[in-house]
Amino acid sequence: MLNIIRAELFRSKKSKLFWLILTAIFINGGVYGMSVATSEVFDDIFIMPLFILLAAYFSLMIGREYADGTMRNKIIAGKTKATIYFAQITLSLMTSMIFIGAFFIPFIVIASTTMAANIPLAVILSSSAGFVMSIFVWSILFTVVSILISSREIAAIINFILFFAIMISAYQINHSLGQQEYIGTYNTETPVQMSPEEVKLAVEGMFEGSHYSEHNDEGVITYFKIVESDEEVLNPRYIDEPFSTILQTIEYLLPYGQLNAYLSTLTSYMYAASEEDVPFHLFPLYSLCMLAVLIAIGFIAFRKKDLR
Amino acid sequence: MDYVLQVQGLTKKYHQNTVINDLHMSVPKGAIYGFVGKNGAGKTTLIRLICGLQEPTAGAYTLYGTNHHESDISTTRRRIGAVIEGPSIYMNMTAEDNLKVQYRVLGLPSFDWIPTLLRLVGLEHTGKKKAKHFSLGMRQRLGIAVALCGNPDFLVLDEPMNGLDPKGIIEMRELILKLNREQQITILISSHILDELARVATHYGFIDNGKMIQEISSTELEKAFRKCTRIKVTNMGVLTRVLDSMQQEYTVVSEEAVNVFGEVHITPLVLRLANEHCNVLSIHELDESLEHYYLNIVGGAKHA
């Protein structure tokens, strides 16, 4: 396995794609650092290119093995499929670490002052560790897809689709879980006529609340106020237990769900807002579970795959 | 006789489609084994199976006496080099870097033999030129160099002459002969360029529809070629009547010529034709080609 890793590291070193992606990730880290330093918000929009670059890199680099037919050389050289597979997984994790380094170095240089002033060091370190774990999950996901699909173009498309599907799913779950159990209604069909005192306040622009006026044919103006109804109705979009817990777990299992949780927590520290009750201590465990499942599925499928 | 590869009843199915069907085959040590078959006959699939890229549905094969079910087949496979369906090389790398990658995969400690290997395949002057800028012939030779990195005893070449220009074909032929004669490498070549194969092969295996029709050495093949004599005359009617009376097998190829198969007793034939006032314009022996032989046996297999 070490021989394959050595060979692949040599190939990466010689690859223009590797250096191009590394440079792009370095720039992305700098841009993200500037975004945090100037807006004091950890916005996920500026971090998205990192995942797209990872998807492109693993699809194209592993896809080249199939396109050039060089995957065959390893099998013919007496390497088992298990050796090739686990060498590729190890290599992907190593490459991810290099990419993470390229992202974090400019990010920390630019954003460290802003972060250090607002966020405790322990939170920064634990968030960073969790973020690294979630990057590993992304990398292994893209690797497994690329090693199972011989066409690099199709692998790249599937990896991009998977990234956006996971992102949208995480957002959707987060939105659904944020729904209130009851929602208030406003009674606008039966307007309530305002008292003379209230009319006086309304004319002076001092009335608190919504109101409107009507005038009849003789020019008499009548003021009405819009009264909020006391009754509340059950929100049909509210998700009750146990589904809310299940959905919450799914959200945190998704690497994008974890990312969102980290980013919103870091942002809340910037504005001294109250922390949400997020089980951050479980995130690395969730990531490890995802890694184990992905690696196992990939291994079973790769062993059965006919190579050409 | 020592065999490098022995295949026993090998079958490969893709869903319901049987590509290799109960195939038997033996490649003797030191041979250049020409694996002959039309496109889709199952040549490449068989090569993929013996190289370990795919698993057979049924049957077995042994490489240097190791059955493919045995755990040390991977170790035995290190004695093979192969170029399957075109050269397996990194197009964005130089010839030397391609060899370095394969050396690392094999865990070879030194790159000392790389210049020799490049010289052997005639790529010693390619320098920094990347493989994507090579001609097809150069790529094929680089593919062979990659396959030779582990110093194999058995080289498998799948259609190595496909797409090559005449110069490339000659270079490839010379390389194959050099590897076999100077390095004592047993070579299995699949090809449908039969004239070219006939110049190098010492043994043949004819495959059709996933089945081995015949295995034969080149010496036996030469003996098996049916003799054929082309006779041109002025009166076709007389010739056919005389040949029928002499119980000779023949086919009419034009208004004045026939191909006569088997031994022809020329003197009595010419005398009888002369008696019936039929002049003989020409007589010459035709060599049956590998292609004719293959078509005959494939046709025979279909009609069997």
Side-chain angles (χ1 to χ4, degrees):
Chain A
M1 193 162 96
L2 280 175
N3 292 334
I4 296 180
I5 293 171
R6 277 196 205 104
E8 289 299 314
L9 285 175
F10 173 75
R11 190 162 81 89
S12 300
K13 201 177 89 181
K14 294 271 174 183
S15 162
K16 274 184 191 167
L17 178 74
F18 173 78
W19 294 107
L20 195 73
I21 296 280
L22 191 72
T23 310
I25 288 175
F26 186 84
I27 294 167
N28 184 206
V31 169
Y32 194 58
M34 283 170 67
S35 144
V36 169
T38 52
S39 68
E40 299 195 338
V41 171
F42 288 84
D43 197 340
D44 63 336
I45 195 90
F46 292 106
I47 217 166
M48 260 186 223
L50 171 66
F51 304 113
I52 293 167
L53 289 167
L54 286 175
Y57 177 77
F58 289 113
S59 309
L60 298 178
M61 203 66 180
I62 297 170
R64 184 169 276 280
E65 287 277 311
Y66 287 111
D68 290 347
T70 41
M71 182 75 86
R72 290 196 287 257
N73 290 343
K74 296 184 180 102
I75 297 273
I76 297 163
K79 307 293 176 192
T80 62
K81 280 187 177 176
T83 307
I84 293 171
Y85 180 79
F86 286 108
Q88 187 57 59
I89 293 290
T90 312
L91 189 79
S92 294
L93 292 174
M94 289 167 73
T95 314
S96 304
M97 285 172 75
I98 296 169
F99 288 156
I100 289 165
F103 182 85
F104 267 109
I105 290 167
F107 171 74
I108 289 169
V109 167
I110 296 169
S112 58
T113 319
T114 314
M115 284 167 67
N118 299 289
I119 309 169
L121 184 64
V123 174
I124 294 173
L125 291 177
S126 64
S127 302
S128 303
F131 178 69
V132 168
M133 286 296 290
S134 73
I135 294 281
F136 285 163
V137 176
W138 284 114
S139 299
I140 295 303
L141 173 69
F142 299 145
T143 299
V144 167
V145 169
S146 306
I147 209 165
L148 292 180
I149 296 169
S150 308
S151 159
R152 56 183 164 176
E153 291 81 9
I154 295 173
I157 291 167
I158 289 177
N159 275 335
F160 290 144
I161 290 172
L162 270 175
F163 166 68
F164 285 109
I166 289 171
M167 183 189 78
I168 292 165
S169 303
Y171 270 121
Q172 194 58 47
I173 293 170
N174 191 271
H175 176 72
S176 301
L177 290 171
Q179 294 286 332
Q180 297 294 315
E181 188 171 3
Y182 290 97
I183 45 175
T185 57
Y186 295 91
N187 186 356
T188 54
E189 290 181 8
T190 316
V192 177
Q193 195 169 339
M194 292 167 78
S195 65
E197 291 78 21
E198 286 172 331
V199 170
K200 191 179 170 192
L201 285 171
V203 170
E204 290 169 357
M206 305 285 284
F207 182 76
E208 289 179 2
S210 303
H211 67 281
Y212 66 98
S213 60
E214 286 178 357
H215 57 88
N216 60 16
D217 296 340
E218 292 150 11
V220 178
I221 301 171
T222 311
Y223 285 84
F224 298 93
K225 60 183 177 184
I226 300 165
V227 180
E228 189 178 342
S229 168
D230 290 338
E231 69 175 295
E232 280 189 315
V233 293
L234 197 63
N235 184 353
R237 289 179 180 163
Y238 177 73
I239 296 166
D240 210 344
E241 289 290 349
F243 300 110
S244 60
T245 307
I246 293 168
L247 267 185
Q248 187 75 80
T249 309
I250 292 171
E251 185 192 2
Y252 293 149
L253 276 170
L254 295 174
Y256 212 94
Q258 288 192 12
L259 177 75
N260 272 341
Y262 282 127
L263 296 183
S264 61
T265 302
L266 289 172
T267 303
S268 70
Y269 272 103
M270 289 289 207
Y271 292 93
S274 62
E275 289 176 57
E276 288 177 42
D277 186 20
V278 179
F280 285 116
H281 61 288
L282 288 176
F283 281 12
L285 186 67
Y286 288 162
S287 294
L288 279 175
C289 288
M290 289 297 285
L291 281 173
V293 169
L294 284 170
I295 291 171
I297 291 171
F299 180 56
I300 293 164
F302 186 64
R303 277 184 67 179
K304 288 183 180 173
K305 183 178 168 65
D306 273 344
L307 299 175
R308 285 175 176 271
Chain B
M1 189 182 279
D2 278 349
Y3 291 104
V4 170
L5 169 71
Q6 286 186 292
V7 177
Q8 299 107 14
L10 210 66
T11 299
K12 177 67 179 174
K13 290 181 181 179
Y14 296 111
H15 305 291
Q16 295 305 311
N17 184 22
T18 305
V19 183
I20 298 287
N21 189 4
D22 191 27
L23 188 136
H24 295 260
M25 177 180 175
S26 301
V27 178
K29 191 177 175 189
I32 299 180
Y33 188 102
F35 194 29
V36 182
K38 62 186 178 191
N39 287 337
K43 301 188 297 288
T44 304
T45 304
L46 182 77
I47 287 173
R48 283 194 198 122
L49 292 175
I50 61 176
C51 289
L53 297 171
Q54 298 180 359
E55 285 296 312
T57 312
Y61 63 88
T62 54
L63 272 170
Y64 290 98
T66 308
N67 189 288
H68 86 275
H69 292 300
E70 291 174 36
S71 57
D72 53 348
I73 188 70
S74 296
T75 317
T76 308
R77 211 167 262 130
R78 285 180 198 160
R79 297 178 70 178
I80 307 183
V83 181
I84 305 169
E85 284 190 304
S88 303
I89 51 174
Y90 294 108
M91 292 296 177
N92 60 340
M93 282 187 173
T94 64
E96 190 181 337
D97 284 345
N98 264 288
L99 297 184
K100 281 182 178 173
V101 170
Q102 190 63 9
Y103 262 59
R104 284 183 165 94
V105 168
L106 290 162
L108 298 173
S110 156
F111 298 138
D112 290 350
W113 203 54
I114 287 180
T116 314
L117 204 49
L118 288 172
R119 232 178 356 260
L120 183 72
V121 297
L123 294 175
E124 69 272 31
H125 300 301
T126 51
K128 301 273 180 201
K129 196 173 178 182
K130 291 188 175 168
K132 62 185 170 190
H133 302 302
F134 285 6
S135 69
L136 190 59
M138 290 165 80
R139 286 180 195 173
Q140 288 281 32
R141 282 183 279 135
L142 178 56
I144 292 177
V146 170
L148 290 173
C149 280
N151 203 11
D153 306 314
F154 181 33
L155 189 62
V156 180
L157 303 175
D158 183 21
E159 306 280 4
M161 288 153 191
N162 252 11
L164 296 186
D165 58 19
K167 185 170 170 276
I169 288 176
I170 293 166
E171 287 169 350
M172 184 58 67
R173 185 204 310 152
E174 285 172 355
L175 177 61
I176 288 165
L177 288 170
K178 190 156 77 171
L179 292 171
N180 181 250
R181 287 170 190 169
E182 294 176 15
Q183 315 272 332
Q184 282 79 47
I185 297 175
T186 306
I187 301 174
L188 168 70
I189 313 173
S190 84
S191 183
H192 54 253
I193 306 176
L194 300 187
D195 288 343
E196 207 42 59
L197 203 57
R199 291 169 194 250
V200 292
T202 59
H203 292 74
Y204 296 94
F206 297 98
I207 182 176
D208 192 44
N209 288 328
K211 268 188 150 341
M212 184 62 80
I213 302 167
Q214 189 179 37
E215 282 189 290
I216 192 167
S217 73
S218 56
T219 321
E220 289 169 324
L221 186 72
E222 276 168 30
K223 286 181 194 163
F225 279 162
R226 288 204 303 172
K227 282 202 168 174
C228 176
T229 310
R230 178 162 294 180
I231 303 172
K232 266 182 151 183
V233 292
T234 51
N235 190 331
M236 180 59 79
V238 172
L239 177 62
T240 53
R241 199 167 59 243
V242 169
L243 287 172
D244 286 340
S245 68
M246 291 174 76
Q247 295 183 329
Q248 289 278 172
E249 190 187 340
Y250 65 90
T251 55
V252 177
V253 290
S254 71
E255 286 180 359
E256 54 182 13
V258 292
N259 282 348
V260 184
F261 299 103
E263 282 298 326
V264 183
H265 300 289
I266 301 292
T267 309
L269 175 66
V270 171
L271 285 173
R272 285 187 62 177
L273 291 173
N275 285 343
E276 298 199 32
H277 309 291
C278 173
N279 290 336
V280 177
L281 299 174
S282 68
I283 297 178
H284 64 268
E285 275 194 350
L286 296 178
D287 287 332
E288 191 178 23
S289 66
L290 182 60
E291 193 173 293
H292 285 132
Y293 185 81
Y294 169 68
L295 290 173
N296 276 335
I297 62 165
V298 168
K302 275 182 185 156
H303 296 122

